[in-house]
Amino acid sequence: MRILPPRAALAAAALALLAVNTSTSAQTAAPAALPDPQATSVEALGWMKGFPPPPDKLITFDNPAGGVFPRTRWSFSHVRETVPTANVWRGGGAASPLPAAPRADLEAVRYRPLGSDQTMSFAQMIAGTYTDGILVLHRGRVVYEKYFGALTPERPHLAMSVTKSFVGTLAAILADEGRLDPAAPVTKYLPELKDTAYGDATVRQVMDMTIGVRYSENYADPKAEIWDYARAGGMLPRGADYAGPKSFYEFLGTLQKEGAHDEGFAYKTVNAEVLAWVLRRASNQSLADLLSEKIWRRIGAEQDAYFMVDRIGTESGGGGLNTTLRDLARFGETMRNGGRAADGQQAIPKAVVEDIRRGGDRAKFAKGGYALLPGWSYRNMWWVSHNPHGAYMARGIHGQSLYVDPKAEMVIARYAAHPVAANAGNDPLTLPAFQALAEALMAP
């Protein structure tokens, strides 16, 4: 008899939606020993192969192990088969072109990982970080594109917290249109939150994650609020005697203040969920419809995207978006071009892109404890490097990345299924690799 809700199959994977673990230690050190990427691949282990697959190779919604590595190397590319979703329509127009100009030499680009005295190649980074797919654009042309395991060009992949950057961009777009006031109190849009941590917060503080809220995403603590959030959103089984919140909205209404607002950066997924709720109220649209209208139809997306949803159909704005790798790259290329899509139309207001590129308050960001990201900031739910190239990123745990380098005219879209959730498992290898690739593409 099935006793788990439909979402339970991605129990651990759904927790991957939540965000980078915010403890300082999780940001500075990854486990020394990791599973062999080749030995844990979909091909090597044979997940979901056969008609039907053997019982020990099944990944189903009533098996909580379906969301545990190495099964995630299949399930991150098959979310729609296991949980409820809301569609993001691509529109009826033609997809924007992605002309190919392959560079076989890029795999041999060498660089030094953070904290290492040894070099490695770009190809070694791809293999060693459990990459599901990676696409590199240079001046709008595809110079590198490869897929691994369960991911294919037409198949959406779970974007994790890359979702937040879409939500932050939508908020900035509505603000540019005069339909959302970042300086306004959250309660202007959500009076339901007047007795919560957000009762005296502004929308801008939510957009830049400088909210003082009692909410922990420490995966090692079974009492952390992250587990309550997951149960409320239907990401974990609740049990027969469960009496807690049963939707994202209900859970957000329980959050209480801890500390002061606007003193420092504190990355917490619930802020993205609050912002997604604000967007629905300000636009009178679902998050899926708003994303379709304001971004997805305008950038020439090739495939529909989709969101994971809770039991009442509310999209997860903190990490539930699924897109193809190519369409993620199209979004990045639009951002690189100041909001202009491939057809020359201004898909995203130029002022929105410029505001993101300028970044946020670096002193406030430094209080977040991200030792691997010195000098960075956070603005409109984007991570801004302030490096000489002006690079900025959308980031999600388990290795999801959208890296935009304006100076190098480069965009990197990457999906992965790294066994380590925190970005400390990827950053030491991926960030310097992205920089090395940019420099190689700029070379005469």
Side-chain angles (χ1 to χ4, degrees):
M1 184 172 105
R2 192 173 74 201
I3 59 174
L4 299 178
R7 301 163 189 79
L10 285 183
L15 290 178
L17 302 176
L18 304 180
V20 178
N21 189 318
T22 54
S23 67
T24 301
S25 61
Q27 301 308 317
T28 57
L34 292 171
D36 181 353
Q38 295 301 319
T40 56
S41 69
V42 173
E43 293 83 357
L45 295 178
W47 301 119
M48 297 298 287
K49 302 294 185 183
F51 306 97
D56 63 337
K57 300 301 181 182
L58 279 171
I59 299 175
T60 63
F61 59 72
D62 57 353
N63 177 7
V68 178
F69 184 89
R71 291 170 177 83
T72 49
R73 305 199 73 180
W74 181 88
S75 59
F76 285 179
S77 298
H78 291 269
V79 170
R80 177 158 268 176
E81 289 98 309
T82 55
V83 299
T85 62
N87 202 61
V88 178
W89 185 41
R90 62 168 293 275
S96 62
L98 285 177
R103 289 273 303 269
D105 60 310
L106 295 181
E107 289 193 343
V109 170
R110 299 197 70 80
Y111 70 98
R112 195 179 305 278
L114 298 177
S116 174
D117 57 1
Q118 303 293 319
T119 65
M120 69 186 304
S121 69
F122 185 67
Q124 288 173 318
M125 180 279 290
I126 292 172
T129 54
Y130 307 84
T131 301
D132 291 331
I134 186 165
L135 191 154
V136 181
L137 292 174
H138 184 230
R139 298 174 180 168
R141 296 179 178 273
V142 180
V143 294
Y144 191 86
E145 181 178 15
K146 281 201 174 180
Y147 297 86
F148 307 88
L151 191 60
T152 55
E154 76 286 350
R155 181 176 295 282
H157 188 285
L158 187 57
M160 309 295 185
S161 292
V162 167
T163 305
K164 294 178 175 66
S165 296
F166 283 90
V167 171
T169 303
L170 287 171
I173 290 172
L174 291 189
D176 185 76
E177 294 175 352
R179 300 169 63 192
L180 177 68
D181 181 5
V186 170
T187 53
K188 174 182 177 180
Y189 304 96
L190 307 176
E192 298 94 329
L193 297 186
K194 65 181 178 62
D195 296 324
T196 74
Y198 299 89
D200 60 348
T202 68
V203 174
R204 168 52 62 196
Q205 290 162 355
V206 175
M207 291 168 71
D208 292 347
M209 295 234 190
T210 58
I211 295 291
V213 56
R214 186 183 306 128
Y215 174 86
S216 169
E217 296 189 5
N218 182 355
Y219 300 120
D221 180 3
K223 296 183 179 180
E225 289 82 0
I226 188 174
W227 307 113
D228 300 325
Y229 167 88
R231 292 185 188 96
M235 300 170 182
L236 284 177
R238 296 171 179 150
D241 58 348
Y242 178 77
K246 296 179 181 178
S247 70
F248 289 127
Y249 294 145
E250 289 182 22
F251 176 76
L252 295 177
T254 70
L255 296 171
Q256 295 302 305
K257 193 171 181 180
E258 184 175 73
H261 301 317
D262 211 36
E263 288 191 347
F265 172 71
Y267 184 83
K268 299 182 179 183
T269 290
V270 288
N271 294 326
E273 295 297 354
V274 168
L275 186 59
W277 192 358
V278 168
L279 294 181
R280 296 183 189 102
R281 281 283 170 80
S283 66
N284 197 32
Q285 293 176 276
S286 71
L287 192 61
D289 286 347
L290 185 64
L291 178 58
S292 172
E293 178 189 334
K294 296 298 181 183
I295 296 178
W296 221 237
R297 300 183 212 175
R298 299 184 179 189
I299 65 171
E302 189 172 1
Q303 304 288 343
D304 290 353
Y306 62 85
F307 282 99
M308 293 176 68
V309 299
D310 68 9
R311 73 178 184 90
I312 63 171
T314 307
E315 309 96 335
S316 169
L321 184 63
N322 293 254
T323 80
T324 66
L325 188 68
R326 287 181 161 223
D327 286 338
L328 183 63
R330 284 181 169 95
F331 176 55
E333 182 67 6
T334 301
M335 295 294 291
R336 184 188 75 79
N337 283 316
R340 282 184 295 105
D343 63 3
Q345 299 299 310
Q346 196 69 37
I348 298 170
K350 184 177 181 181
V352 168
V353 180
E354 290 176 342
D355 184 47
I356 291 168
R357 288 181 58 174
R358 280 192 296 269
D361 189 315
R362 285 187 254 185
K364 291 178 182 176
F365 182 87
K367 296 180 181 180
Y370 288 79
L372 294 176
L373 305 177
W376 287 53
S377 73
Y378 196 78
R379 183 69 170 178
N380 297 340
M381 300 202 168
W382 286 82
W383 304 75
V384 184
S385 76
H386 299 284
N387 71 7
H389 287 197
Y392 55 101
M393 290 185 71
R395 293 158 55 86
I397 55 174
H398 294 285
Q400 323 319 320
S401 300
L402 179 61
Y403 186 91
V404 182
D405 186 323
K407 185 175 181 180
E409 302 173 279
M410 179 189 77
V411 170
I412 300 176
R414 177 177 179 267
Y415 279 140
H418 200 289
V420 176
N423 278 325
N426 284 274
D427 285 347
L429 274 64
T430 56
L431 292 182
F434 295 167
Q435 178 66 26
L437 206 65
E439 293 168 358
L441 290 171
M442 292 173 66

